[in-house]
């Protein structure tokens, strides 16, 4: 689980982005600290060189501290996301995250302050430890908020991209379904029947064209729908059977015996047509072997 989480860290927070964030925060915090110390008289800035040296030294330590804080912060956020979701345990999440942020900030600030004191001793180490602990606590809370917001943004962006990909896949699936429903053999046979009707019976040919167009109009209208009513499906089936009976004549018959109370039931679009198509496809339909299909409940 830890390996998987660090893979997520690597995905969401590239080293360059994390470094940029920490550098900006480190320099900003140090400028605030140096300005406050100068105005309060705690540590006056004697010259521009003194300011730049202090800023560089303080920023370097803050950058190190930033990485020491950011990585554990990400681990804390990952742990809390798995065990204390924002959706279900908001109060517990806030209390635990705040406590962990303060404990982590105090621990890191103490290490950094002692290291800094080892390099260049402070006059009042205790005051420095307390002050730095407070500063690091505030900074770490801000860091937590920024990381949470960043994670939320990246997760939302990832979800948006995934939704777009799924929409493209769904469109492709719908297109494939549409192609499968417009069976080339059915279309070829229907056009052959229509060709014969045009020569022999213009009225039947016109009816055939009307039913043929209504079939494909229904396919285009329902291909975007997850379900269709049984009543609509039966209307489509009647048109489909009409065309098939033009080909097979009286050797093909369909009996529909369904109660009125289920007429508005929902089912997958074109499912009845698929059943009828398979029944005709896998049976012999001729004078010696007529086919009767019963649709009943």
């Amino acid at each position: 689980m830890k390996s998987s989480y660090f893979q997520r860290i690597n995905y969401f927070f590239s080293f360059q982005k994390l470094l940029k964030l920490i550098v900006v925060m480190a320099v900003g915090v140090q400028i605030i600290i140096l300005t406050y110390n100068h105005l309060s008289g705690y540590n006056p800035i004697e010259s521009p060189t003194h300011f730049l040296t202090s800023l560089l030294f303080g920023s370097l330590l803050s950058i190190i501290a930033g990485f020491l804080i950011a990585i554990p912060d990400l681990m804390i956020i990952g742990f809390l996301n798995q065990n204390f979701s924002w959706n279900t345990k908001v109060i517990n999440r806030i209390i635990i995250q705040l406590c962990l942020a303060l404990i982590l900030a105090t621990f890191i600030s103490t290490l950094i302050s002692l290291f800094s004191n080892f390099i260049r001793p402070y006059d009042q180490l205790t005051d420095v430890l307390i002050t730095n602990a407070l500063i690091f606590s505030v900074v770490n809370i801000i860091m937590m908020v920024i990381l949470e917001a960043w994670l939320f943004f990246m997760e939302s962006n990832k979800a948006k991209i995934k939704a777009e990909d799924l929409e493209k896949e769904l469109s492709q699936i719908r297109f494939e379904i549409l192609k499968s429903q417009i069976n080339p053999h059915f279309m070829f046979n229907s056009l052959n029947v229509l060709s014969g009707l045009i020569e022999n019976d213009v009225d039947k040919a016109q009816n055939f064209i009307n039913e043929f167009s209504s079939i494909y109009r229904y396919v285009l209208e329902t291909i975007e729908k997850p379900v269709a009513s049984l009543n609509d499906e039966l209307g489509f089936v009647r048109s489909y059977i009409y065309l098939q009976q033009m080909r097979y004549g009286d050797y093909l018959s369909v009996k529909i015996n369904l109660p009125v109370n289920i007429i508005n039931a929902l089912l997958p679009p074109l499912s009845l047509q698929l059943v009828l198509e398979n029944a005709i496809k896998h049976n012999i339909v001729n004078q010696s072997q007529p086919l009767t299909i019963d649709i009943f409940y």
Side-chain angles (χ1 to χ4, degrees), residues 214 216-225:
S214 69
Y216 287 100
R217 182 168 58 250
Y218 181 81
V219 171
L220 292 173
E221 288 174 351
T222 59
I223 199 66
E224 297 290 335
K225 299 178 181 179

Side-chain angles (χ1 to χ4, degrees), residues 177-247:
I177 293 175
L178 179 60
K179 289 197 300 183
S180 69
Q181 294 302 327
I182 304 178
N183 191 303
H185 295 290
F186 170 69
M187 180 176 289
F188 177 76
N189 292 331
S190 297
L191 291 176
N192 279 340
V193 173
L194 178 61
S195 177
L197 288 175
I198 291 175
E199 295 178 358
N200 301 316
D201 193 327
V202 177
D203 291 336
K204 282 188 176 182
Q206 183 61 49
N207 291 334
F208 188 95
I209 292 173
N210 292 337
E211 298 295 341
F212 189 78
S213 63
S214 69
I215 282 178
Y216 287 100
R217 182 168 58 250
Y218 181 81
V219 171
L220 292 173
E221 288 174 351
T222 59
I223 199 66
E224 297 290 335
K225 299 178 181 179
V227 292
S229 70
L230 177 59
N231 187 46
D232 291 340
E233 283 287 291
L234 290 174
F236 168 71
V237 162
R238 290 188 182 95
S239 296
Y240 177 77
I241 292 300
Y242 178 85
L243 298 189
Q244 295 289 7
Q245 287 176 332
M246 284 291 184
R247 178 185 176 190

Side-chain angles (χ1 to χ4, degrees), residues 45-285:
I45 301 298
E46 299 174 358
S47 65
T49 303
H50 180 210
F51 173 77
L52 292 175
T53 303
S54 300
L55 179 62
L56 180 62
F57 179 74
S59 297
L60 180 61
L61 291 177
S62 295
I63 290 171
I64 296 173
F67 275 105
L68 292 176
I69 287 178
I71 301 302
D73 278 351
L74 289 172
M75 296 179 67
I76 289 171
I77 291 172
F79 169 77
L80 294 176
N81 284 343
Q82 293 178 355
N83 298 279
F84 299 92
S85 171
W86 283 113
N87 297 326
T88 57
K89 301 177 180 179
V90 178
I91 302 300
N92 293 340
R93 170 69 178 255
I94 293 174
I95 293 173
I96 294 173
Q97 192 160 353
L98 181 61
C99 291
L100 291 176
L102 295 176
I103 293 170
L104 177 63
T106 302
F107 177 73
I108 298 298
S109 69
T110 301
L111 291 180
I112 296 296
S113 298
L114 292 176
F115 177 72
S116 177
N117 182 70
F118 175 77
I119 296 174
R120 189 169 57 187
Y122 294 110
D123 295 332
Q124 297 177 333
L125 179 59
T126 303
D127 292 343
V128 172
L129 289 174
I130 295 173
T131 302
N132 286 349
L134 292 173
I135 293 172
F136 269 73
S137 296
V138 173
V139 170
N140 195 33
I141 291 173
I142 296 173
M143 175 74 80
M144 279 281 193
V145 173
I146 292 174
L147 293 178
E148 284 276 17
W150 199 348
L151 269 173
F152 179 79
F153 171 77
M154 295 303 294
E155 287 279 12
S156 299
N157 191 49
K158 183 182 177 183
K160 182 180 178 181
I161 294 173
K162 186 175 181 180
E164 291 175 352
D165 292 340
L166 289 175
E167 183 63 30
K168 291 178 182 178
E169 291 180 11
L170 181 59
S171 298
Q172 184 63 30
I173 291 172
R174 286 171 176 166
F175 177 67
E176 294 298 330
I177 293 175
L178 179 60
K179 289 197 300 183
S180 69
Q181 294 302 327
I182 304 178
N183 191 303
H185 295 290
F186 170 69
M187 180 176 289
F188 177 76
N189 292 331
S190 297
L191 291 176
N192 279 340
V193 173
L194 178 61
S195 177
L197 288 175
I198 291 175
E199 295 178 358
N200 301 316
D201 193 327
V202 177
D203 291 336
K204 282 188 176 182
Q206 183 61 49
N207 291 334
F208 188 95
I209 292 173
N210 292 337
E211 298 295 341
F212 189 78
S213 63
S214 69
I215 282 178
Y216 287 100
R217 182 168 58 250
Y218 181 81
V219 171
L220 292 173
E221 288 174 351
T222 59
I223 199 66
E224 297 290 335
K225 299 178 181 179
V227 292
S229 70
L230 177 59
N231 187 46
D232 291 340
E233 283 287 291
L234 290 174
F236 168 71
V237 162
R238 290 188 182 95
S239 296
Y240 177 77
I241 292 300
Y242 178 85
L243 298 189
Q244 295 289 7
Q245 287 176 332
M246 284 291 184
R247 178 185 176 190
Y248 295 107
D250 295 333
Y251 309 132
L252 172 66
S253 61
V254 177
K255 298 179 181 179
I256 300 175
N257 184 19
L258 296 171
V260 178
N261 62 324
I262 68 166
I263 203 69
N264 292 320
L266 301 177
L267 64 163
L270 310 178
S271 54
L272 279 182
Q273 180 267 338
L274 184 61
V275 173
L276 292 172
E277 184 180 45
N278 286 332
I280 297 171
K281 179 180 178 182
H282 297 291
N283 287 279
I284 297 173
V285 185

